[in-house]
Amino acid sequence: MIKGAISTLVIHRMPRYYRFLGNLQEEGITRISSRELAERMNLTASQIRQDFNCFGGFGQQGYGYNVDILKSEIAHILGFDRLQSAILIGVGNIGRAVLKNINFESMGFSLIGVFDEKESLVGQVIKNSPVRHISTLDEFCRENKPDAAILCLPKAAAKPVVEQLIKLGVEGFVNFSSYDINLDYPDATVENVHFKDCLMTLSYRLHDKKDNG
Amino acid sequence: MIKGAISTLVIHRMPRYYRFLGNLQEEGITRISSRELAERMNLTASQIRQDFNCFGGFGQQGYGYNVDILKSEIAHILGFDRLQSAILIGVGNIGRAVLKNINFESMGFSLIGVFDEKESLVGQVIKNSPVRHISTLDEFCRENKPDAAILCLPKAAAKPVVEQLIKLGVEGFVNFSSYDINLDYPDATVENVHFKDCLMTLSYRLHDKKDNG
DNA sequence: TAGATTGTTAATCGATTAACAATC
DNA sequence: TAGATTGTTAATCGATTAACAATC
């Protein structure tokens, strides 16, 4: 497996491959060619082969790809077999949606703490995780050294929390708040998710279609 | 304004520009050069100028860009001044998060209906929108012809609803369910949002950092 | 006028596509 | 063996960066 300089575009396609391979498994399909997969995913066969060959290539000439093997190779590439610890901050609607819909263990993370600023939520258990008060965050992090934090806070609250966590040594963030985490922290890895941007893009595309056919 | 064939990459940067320009306004900054904006956004000045010049260019030599003007030009490009009608389906945590955090009118949409399959939610009013039962969706769409639908459903429920809406003539989708809407409908415009993919990407990056420095 | 910074063209870089030899 | 399909190299295409003349 030759890593080194995988492009962002390739990396962002890997989770999508992983998802589609899961769908194939559910359909009972055990074998697929790059051509067939391309058709399903709206890519080209060439691109798929190039992507997989960034990591070594997992197919077999004349046969294609074994779905189970390919999926587990991707799981390995994405690091799902080596769990990292994560905390989640903010159990409003977004936080709850994440907690209820995402199986952390299946995607490389072990959720070790959930925090909110609301006293009334403290102690409540959501998906096996007791909610802790945000005031205990500092102590908790010094003791447990989480690798990553999932931020589900309102925009205004996000910035100070990010700064606090950076100081505490947290290196990875998934940010669902509409605050844009800026990457002046060279060691931090950030994935910003902006709901609003998708609506804006859709607005553009719908108008574009009406105007330009 | 010469449109024609704006690349996906440019289109996806526009909402981000819009957001950053809003931040500048909040900071009371009225004027910015491509160089300064590039620094804030982790882009290059060249790229910013190229992006804006896809739509005609809104700056002034020797001065830079007027923040208010640029922001409202982008609002116009994204179509925020010509509202389209939208419905939202599914008022679980994701649906509520969207309803509570997003101001539709400010990003080109007017929300005309909210639906859920749970009888107990019907009639409840969330952010000025009464929840309707999903069984009334067909009739509602035939009467009101919504332009877009925001899907906040579980994976299994998403597929049939998409097919139903396509038949009813809905052309745009923002899809927050983990079902991947496939674009075999040539007229439909889809923005899929996959929470999980972000976590997976973060997992990759964190491991990559540990392994390769 | 001099300085700054855009709009825009040209050069570079990277990603996708095409082609085909290797091989299952 | 013949057919299929990969892995991989080469060609193309597109996006980013660099450079600079235009101009405020």
Side-chain angles (χ1 to χ4, degrees):
Chain A
M1 185 191 301
I2 312 106
K3 285 200 194 184
I6 312 295
S7 91
T8 301
L9 292 166
V10 175
I11 294 168
H12 275 105
R13 278 195 293 270
M14 298 314 281
R16 187 148 181 269
Y17 288 127
Y18 187 77
R19 247 181 315 111
F20 272 79
L21 289 166
N23 294 344
L24 290 174
Q25 284 182 325
E26 279 170 27
E27 291 177 41
I29 295 169
T30 58
R31 196 212 127 218
I32 194 152
S33 69
S34 55
R35 188 183 47 74
E36 286 172 303
L37 188 56
E39 219 159 274
R40 282 183 176 247
M41 295 185 67
N42 260 330
L43 300 170
T44 66
S46 232
Q47 188 174 35
I48 289 177
R49 296 205 298 279
Q50 291 277 24
D51 281 355
F52 294 159
N53 280 87
C54 291
F55 303 98
F58 313 112
Q60 195 169 57
Q61 280 103 330
Y63 172 86
Y65 298 88
N66 176 298
V67 172
D68 291 348
I69 291 175
L70 183 55
K71 184 165 176 250
S72 77
E73 287 289 353
I74 293 177
H76 179 68
I77 289 165
L78 292 173
F80 299 168
D81 47 8
R82 293 152 287 164
L83 294 193
Q84 303 187 79
S85 57
I87 57 176
L88 181 145
I89 304 179
V91 287
N93 285 305
I94 299 174
R96 282 166 198 271
V98 170
L99 285 169
K100 288 184 183 164
N101 292 303
I102 294 183
N103 177 357
F104 290 88
E105 267 75 15
S106 75
M107 43 193 75
F109 292 101
S110 136
L111 187 67
I112 61 169
V114 170
F115 298 83
D116 199 285
E117 58 164 19
K118 252 200 191 145
E119 287 285 1
S120 61
L121 294 171
V122 172
Q124 193 181 320
V125 177
I126 306 175
K127 269 274 187 169
N128 303 321
S129 295
V131 178
R132 300 162 200 268
H133 194 260
I134 190 79
S135 62
T136 66
L137 181 62
D138 228 276
E139 193 191 341
F140 182 92
C141 289
R142 273 196 295 268
E143 268 173 30
N144 298 285
K145 300 272 170 229
D147 298 301
I150 295 146
L151 305 180
C152 306
L153 297 157
K155 189 180 177 192
K159 192 186 166 125
V161 170
V162 171
E163 281 164 4
Q164 184 184 4
L165 291 171
I166 289 276
K167 276 190 201 132
L168 287 160
V170 175
E171 296 206 326
F173 296 87
V174 177
N175 175 28
F176 290 104
S177 82
S178 54
Y179 166 67
D180 237 85
I181 299 184
N182 252 310
L183 311 139
D184 338 305
Y185 315 104
D187 289 339
T189 304
V190 180
E191 294 289 318
N192 289 308
V193 185
H194 291 284
F195 289 23
K196 289 173 188 169
D197 290 17
C198 309
L199 277 165
M200 296 188 195
T201 306
L202 184 68
S203 172
Y204 174 85
R205 286 196 202 280
L206 286 175
H207 281 298
D208 188 48
K209 192 158 56 183
K210 278 180 191 158
D211 297 348
N212 302 349
Chain B
M1 185 191 302
I2 313 105
K3 284 201 191 185
I6 311 295
S7 91
T8 302
L9 292 166
V10 174
I11 294 167
H12 276 103
R13 279 195 292 271
M14 298 313 281
R16 188 148 178 267
Y17 288 127
Y18 188 77
R19 250 181 311 112
F20 272 79
L21 289 166
N23 294 344
L24 290 174
Q25 284 181 326
E26 279 171 26
E27 291 178 40
I29 295 169
T30 58
R31 196 213 126 217
I32 194 152
S33 68
S34 55
R35 188 183 47 74
E36 287 171 302
L37 188 57
E39 219 159 273
R40 281 184 178 247
M41 295 185 67
N42 259 332
L43 301 168
T44 67
S46 232
Q47 190 175 32
I48 288 176
R49 296 204 299 278
Q50 291 277 24
D51 281 356
F52 294 158
N53 280 88
C54 290
F55 302 99
F58 313 111
Q60 195 169 57
Q61 280 103 327
Y63 173 86
Y65 298 88
N66 176 297
V67 172
D68 291 348
I69 292 175
L70 182 55
K71 185 166 175 250
S72 76
E73 288 288 354
I74 294 176
H76 179 67
I77 289 164
L78 291 172
F80 298 169
D81 47 8
R82 292 152 287 164
L83 294 193
Q84 302 186 80
S85 58
I87 56 175
L88 182 145
I89 304 178
V91 287
N93 285 303
I94 298 174
R96 282 165 199 271
V98 170
L99 285 170
K100 288 183 185 166
N101 292 302
I102 292 183
N103 177 356
F104 289 88
E105 266 77 14
S106 75
M107 44 192 73
F109 293 101
S110 133
L111 187 68
I112 60 169
V114 171
F115 298 84
D116 199 283
E117 59 163 20
K118 253 200 191 144
E119 287 284 2
S120 61
L121 294 173
V122 172
Q124 193 182 317
V125 177
I126 306 175
K127 270 273 185 171
N128 303 321
S129 295
V131 178
R132 300 161 199 268
H133 194 259
I134 189 80
S135 62
T136 66
L137 181 62
D138 229 276
E139 194 191 340
F140 182 93
C141 289
R142 273 196 295 267
E143 268 173 33
N144 298 284
K145 300 271 171 229
D147 298 301
I150 296 147
L151 305 180
C152 305
L153 298 157
K155 188 179 175 190
K159 193 186 166 123
V161 170
V162 172
E163 281 164 4
Q164 185 184 2
L165 291 172
I166 288 277
K167 274 188 205 135
L168 288 160
V170 175
E171 296 208 326
F173 295 87
V174 177
N175 175 27
F176 290 104
S177 82
S178 54
Y179 166 66
D180 237 85
I181 300 185
N182 253 309
L183 310 140
D184 338 306
Y185 315 105
D187 288 338
T189 304
V190 181
E191 294 289 318
N192 289 307
V193 185
H194 291 284
F195 289 23
K196 289 174 187 168
D197 289 17
C198 309
L199 277 165
M200 296 189 194
T201 306
L202 184 68
S203 172
Y204 173 84
R205 286 196 202 280
L206 286 173
H207 281 299
D208 189 48
K209 192 157 58 182
K210 279 181 189 155
D211 297 347
N212 303 349

